[in-house]
Amino acid sequence: MNKNKTTESGKCPVMHGGATASSMTNMKWWPKALNLDILHQHDHKTNPMGADFNYRETVKDLDITALNKDLHALMTDSQDWWPADWGHYGGLMIRMTWHSAGTYRIADGRGGAATGNQRFAPINSWPDNVNLDKARRLLWPIKKKYGNKLSWADLIAYAGTIAYESMGLKTFGFAFGREDIWQPEKDTYWGSEKDWLAPSGSAGSRYSGERNLENPLAAVMMGLIYVNPEGVDGKPDPLKTAHDIRITFERMAMNDEETVALTAGGHTVGKCHGNGDADLLGKEPEAADIAEQGMGWNNNTKRSIGRDTVTSGIEGTWTTHPTQWDNGYFSMLLKHDWQLKKSPAGAWQWQPVNIKEEDKPVDVEDPSIRSMPIMTDADMAMKMDPAYREISERFANDAEYFSEVFARAWFKLTHRDMGPKVRYIGPDVPQEDLIWQDPVPVGMTGYDVQAVKEKITASGLSISEMVATAWDSARTYRDSDKRGGANGARIRLAPQKDWQGNEPKRLNKVLTTLEGIANDSGVSIADIIVLAGNVGIEQSAKAAGFDIDVPFSPGRGDATDEMTDADAFDVLEPLHDAYRNWLKDDYSVSAEELMLDRSQLMGLTAHEMTVLIGGMRVLGTNQNDTKHGVFTDREGVLSNDYFVNLTDMNYTWQPSADNLYEVRERKSNKVKWTATRVDLIFGSNSILRAYSEVYAQDDNQEKFVLDFVAAWTKVMNADRFDLA
């Protein structure tokens, strides 16, 4: 072979053995294979800071006063390469913060501002985020100055808050403590559309029936944060847009009043940019030429900055004074009639029919020129929808009340995914406990744990009852937004006490017993629930020949009904639990995919997931006491029997019904056990089988017990942020 032979393109070939492009992965041949990578993202190998770096400790040394001063100065330090509108970057910084925090959705807690993920694909290249790369570049000198003491995630969230302050808003507060990720998130599902901004009914549409938006999605289109500002599928109709807004903001955990306040407050300052030809914009950051150095949407044929900027395609401001916090939005919206017009970039927008010259905003570069204000279809929804209109008029008549509601809603928007207040850092953390923070009182720590364990042991509760109840209490935790978990013992409150997945009859029996012990001992029921689970595991391990103490950290508190927004906990209801081998219904998503999603939300790795499944099975903790996957003749003993029998070639696996299989002896064809898909997957998936084989080995019985205990303790303590 001639090594110097050129390719058809005329370039010399080179040895290329690495799968260096995302399209080159081997797994493309099996697109339905489980994406176990979501359990191992953000590995220490991606983090340049090293194992000893602790941002949440480092940020405590941040000079917040100096940072605040620098950010205020930045707002009016206009740069020639990207000049500030009216000499103030406030609108741009607010949009950046908003679009970072606004990706949050309550259904699975994913998205939000807590990780700085706006720096990475796909979010950095969404059509709705055009030119936000410029905002982050403007912030780079500040990030560079404060270095490791200030994460990008905190800075992105803080910049918008300070922007509002600089424009006259009295903000509600701010908390630091968000930790950066270092590569794109792999776990978040943003929709299955094949194209950006694909209208309803397109391939992979997120809508079904009468405009039913797919859960857990909140945005109405691929590439948008919220709704289409031009109207549903780009067709203006404020009442139809109002429908989309209500669903979208509900899925962000916002009520109608917060929705109106956020919409109005976001549009009180800044402007839309559409004074040009959108077709002249270059590629988004992730697709742009290497010479663009990570920036996108650049127009290299015309000026394309200042008044000639093209971002959303809509052109204009909402208020007369777009660098001032005031009540001008409602004055503009409610006191004028509006008509549809097209922007210079060809986007639909609303324009006042009659307006005084002095009520028009001035040009971003030349104060001698006045421009026509605008409203989007989303703004018109605030006027046309009856409920939104009533709230808008209330705000219009009480500017102080509007400012207060907005400040609180903005704080909620930018902090919703940070978890409880104990995780907040900094001098501006509000003292008030807010119900959406899921507050939990501090519990007792200095009690005799061993004495309480003895009372639990003498209670007569079975191993499966104790372990299942502790698991059910803790399994609601999701690392995405730090909600749920065992702390607070909300499993005894509505709505959790009535969830089908919690087996209310069994739960009530166990809680009655454990609450008696808690009252006698002066200890929180939250601690008792977890401790009882530990007692059950210790008993089962002893039966397997291993004398162990399951780690326990006292100090959980008991939440009350008054501390609990019951409606907000509905989204945490388990509809499936592979660990207890249960599905509430027959779902379009496979049981093993549901298991993977829940395990990722719980912060578990693949081998932790594996060992927990195997241990829970032999402990007999299945929902409703089914025997699916209980591959042991020693139920209640913490043995590795599940894996031994799973990998034993003396058995065959045969389907018997939907999601049910029979495990038969190969020679006699006699049914030995039954199983579900989430049992089969640990033998069929090559990666999971490799883990299963580890735990099936004769020399790894003790390793199995120790690994199970470690994974169990991780789940029980997942929400113990006070221990960090």
Side-chain angles (χ1 to χ4, degrees):
M1 178 180 178
N2 183 357
K3 294 182 179 179
N4 294 319
K5 183 179 179 181
T6 60
T7 64
E8 291 182 5
S9 63
K11 296 183 179 181
C12 295
V14 66
M15 185 173 290
H16 184 206
T20 51
S22 60
S23 61
M24 300 169 69
T25 172
N26 290 332
M27 300 310 291
K28 72 176 185 178
W29 298 106
W30 303 282
K32 295 300 292 182
L34 284 180
N35 181 21
L36 292 168
D37 284 350
I38 70 172
L39 302 181
H40 305 134
Q41 61 183 338
H42 315 313
D43 178 78
H44 68 92
K45 291 182 179 180
T46 69
N47 191 334
M49 304 309 297
D52 295 332
F53 178 75
N54 186 330
Y55 174 68
R56 290 185 54 80
E57 288 299 319
T58 305
V59 73
K60 294 176 182 177
D61 295 326
L62 174 67
D63 188 340
I64 295 172
T65 301
L67 172 62
N68 186 299
K69 182 179 179 181
D70 285 345
L71 279 171
H72 271 89
L74 175 142
M75 297 299 162
T76 54
D77 185 17
S78 185
Q79 302 296 310
D80 290 342
W81 66 269
W82 197 258
D85 295 336
W86 309 281
H88 202 298
Y89 285 118
L92 176 64
M93 295 299 163
I94 288 165
R95 178 169 166 258
M96 173 196 64
T97 300
W98 192 308
H99 284 215
S100 175
T103 56
Y104 173 79
R105 69 269 186 116
I106 194 174
D108 60 2
R110 293 186 172 101
T115 62
N117 63 355
Q118 194 186 74
R119 298 176 293 152
F120 303 117
I123 300 173
N124 70 349
S125 295
W126 277 358
D128 217 5
N129 287 340
V130 173
N131 290 329
L132 292 183
D133 51 348
K134 312 320 190 279
R136 295 190 297 276
R137 292 298 172 91
L138 288 165
L139 286 175
W140 167 239
I142 289 180
K143 174 66 174 94
K144 180 175 180 290
K145 175 180 178 179
Y146 292 94
N148 298 336
K149 295 178 182 178
L150 177 64
S151 68
W152 268 113
D154 275 343
L155 179 56
I156 289 171
Y158 196 44
T161 300
I162 296 303
Y164 271 119
E165 279 192 4
S166 73
M167 292 177 168
L169 174 70
K170 182 182 178 182
T171 57
F172 185 69
F174 187 83
F176 293 86
R178 302 166 185 80
E179 299 180 69
D180 287 335
I181 57 175
W182 297 98
Q183 64 177 25
E185 294 172 323
K186 298 179 180 179
D187 60 289
T188 306
Y189 170 69
W190 296 115
S192 56
E193 296 99 326
K194 305 302 180 184
D195 299 303
W196 299 121
L197 308 180
S200 308
S202 302
S205 176
R206 61 188 60 199
Y207 285 98
S208 61
E210 294 294 324
R211 201 155 180 81
N212 298 319
L213 180 61
E214 178 187 357
N215 243 344
L217 303 176
V220 302
M221 282 177 157
M222 174 67 77
L224 292 183
I225 304 296
Y226 303 123
V227 302
N228 191 326
E230 296 186 68
V232 175
D233 292 332
K235 301 173 183 177
D237 188 327
L239 290 178
K240 287 184 178 180
T241 295
H243 171 272
D244 276 7
I245 292 172
R246 186 162 279 112
I247 292 173
T248 291
F249 276 75
E250 281 179 353
R251 293 191 178 186
M252 288 168 47
M254 300 294 177
N255 60 31
D256 276 3
E257 188 172 62
E258 291 166 327
T259 299
V260 176
L262 285 169
T263 302
H267 294 172
T268 293
V269 297
K271 76 179 292 283
C272 296
H273 299 84
N275 190 25
D277 186 353
D279 291 336
L280 297 179
L281 294 181
K283 294 286 188 180
E284 66 274 15
E286 243 10 65
D289 187 83
I290 194 170
E292 303 288 1
Q293 286 292 281
M295 291 206 300
W297 305 289
N298 295 316
N299 182 352
N300 296 315
T301 64
K302 292 189 177 181
R303 180 168 175 260
S304 196
I305 58 174
R307 71 165 67 93
D308 301 317
T309 303
V310 177
T311 295
S312 67
I314 295 170
E315 171 60 26
T317 69
W318 298 268
T319 65
T320 307
H321 306 292
T323 63
Q324 298 176 20
W325 178 262
D326 56 25
N327 227 29
Y329 174 87
F330 296 110
S331 298
M332 189 70 72
L333 177 68
L334 300 176
K335 293 181 179 180
H336 294 94
D337 294 323
W338 297 83
Q339 60 185 346
L340 274 172
K341 295 286 185 179
K342 283 275 185 105
S343 76
W348 284 114
Q349 57 190 51
W350 294 82
Q351 183 174 304
V353 176
N354 292 298
I355 185 171
K356 297 177 181 178
E357 190 69 16
E358 61 266 26
D359 291 337
K360 295 179 181 178
V362 301
D363 181 76
V364 297
E365 295 180 273
D366 187 348
S368 69
I369 301 172
R370 290 192 178 267
S371 308
M372 189 66 72
I374 57 95
M375 293 286 163
T376 70
D377 214 56
D379 297 302
M380 295 304 296
M382 302 298 109
K383 183 174 184 175
M384 304 299 292
D385 178 88
Y388 289 158
R389 174 67 180 254
E390 182 181 349
I391 297 167
S392 294
E393 289 180 347
R394 188 188 315 148
F395 286 156
N397 294 323
D398 193 337
E400 185 176 345
Y401 180 66
F402 163 58
S403 294
E404 181 184 355
V405 174
F406 174 80
R408 286 173 170 269
W410 177 261
F411 181 82
K412 180 179 178 180
L413 175 73
T414 51
H415 294 75
R416 191 69 176 81
D417 61 341
M418 284 191 70
K421 197 168 70 174
V422 70
R423 301 191 71 249
Y424 292 8
I425 297 170
D428 298 321
V429 173
Q431 292 301 304
E432 182 180 345
D433 288 326
L434 305 166
I435 196 166
W436 56 262
Q437 296 170 329
D438 302 337
V440 175
V442 176
M444 183 185 295
T445 57
Y447 58 90
D448 188 339
V449 173
Q450 186 57 41
V452 178
K453 288 172 69 174
E454 290 172 1
K455 291 180 180 180
I456 294 171
T457 302
S459 70
L461 293 174
S462 70
I463 289 174
S464 63
E465 287 174 331
M466 292 187 289
V467 173
T469 302
W471 178 264
D472 290 354
S473 183
R475 68 178 171 187
T476 54
Y477 177 74
R478 29 190 226 192
D479 201 49
S480 52
D481 58 358
K482 310 297 189 289
R483 295 192 72 206
N487 198 6
R490 284 188 166 93
I491 195 171
R492 74 198 203 288
L493 307 176
Q496 297 193 35
K497 66 182 180 63
D498 300 314
W499 287 345
Q500 181 181 333
N502 286 341
E503 296 177 287
K505 185 177 180 180
R506 184 263 310 161
L507 176 63
N508 184 61
K509 173 198 171 184
V510 175
L511 286 180
T512 299
T513 300
L514 295 182
E515 285 172 346
I517 297 173
N519 291 333
D520 290 343
S521 307
V523 180
S524 70
I525 182 61
D527 264 359
I528 296 293
I529 291 171
V530 173
L531 194 55
N534 289 5
V535 168
I537 291 169
E538 289 173 0
Q539 291 175 351
S540 66
K542 190 172 183 178
F546 301 98
D547 193 5
I548 61 168
D549 287 317
V550 179
F552 177 75
S553 299
R556 296 170 184 83
D558 291 335
T560 64
D561 287 317
E562 291 71 27
M563 299 174 181
T564 304
D565 183 351
D567 292 340
F569 275 90
D570 284 339
V571 296
L572 271 66
E573 179 182 358
L575 305 179
H576 57 89
D577 188 350
Y579 297 89
R580 298 191 63 211
N581 224 347
W582 172 72
L583 289 170
K584 187 176 181 179
D585 209 338
D586 183 22
Y587 301 107
S588 58
V589 179
S590 69
E592 60 269 29
E593 289 177 276
L594 293 172
M595 173 185 68
L596 187 60
D597 180 69
R598 169 87 328 243
S599 298
Q600 194 278 329
L601 285 173
M602 294 172 70
L604 296 171
T605 65
H607 64 83
E608 289 169 337
M609 176 179 74
T610 301
V611 77
L612 281 169
I613 289 282
M616 295 284 281
R617 289 293 188 274
V618 297
L619 293 181
T621 60
N622 280 359
Q623 189 87 0
N624 300 316
D625 200 34
T626 68
K627 301 304 176 184
H628 306 314
V630 185
F631 306 149
T632 183
D633 298 322
R634 306 181 288 166
E635 187 175 326
V637 177
L638 191 56
S639 71
N640 65 341
D641 288 357
Y642 178 87
F643 300 108
V644 170
N645 293 310
L646 175 77
T647 57
D648 193 333
M649 291 304 296
N650 289 317
Y651 301 108
T652 64
W653 302 62
Q654 300 177 19
S656 60
D658 288 344
N659 194 42
L660 282 179
Y661 298 81
E662 294 174 341
V663 185
R664 293 176 176 266
E665 295 177 344
R666 193 177 289 274
K667 288 184 178 180
S668 68
N669 203 37
K670 179 182 176 181
V671 176
K672 180 69 173 177
W673 296 292
T674 58
T676 67
R677 289 188 63 89
V678 293
D679 296 310
L680 265 70
I681 200 68
F682 289 94
S684 65
N685 181 279
S686 58
I687 298 172
L688 296 179
R689 186 176 185 91
Y691 293 132
S692 296
E693 289 172 349
V694 169
Y695 293 120
Q697 291 176 189
D698 293 345
D699 62 348
N700 275 342
Q701 296 181 56
E702 183 177 18
K703 175 178 173 57
F704 161 72
V705 171
L706 295 177
D707 285 5
F708 178 85
V709 169
W712 171 269
T713 304
K714 178 178 178 177
V715 172
M716 294 301 117
N717 288 343
D719 62 343
R720 292 296 305 279
F721 307 111
D722 55 313
L723 301 177

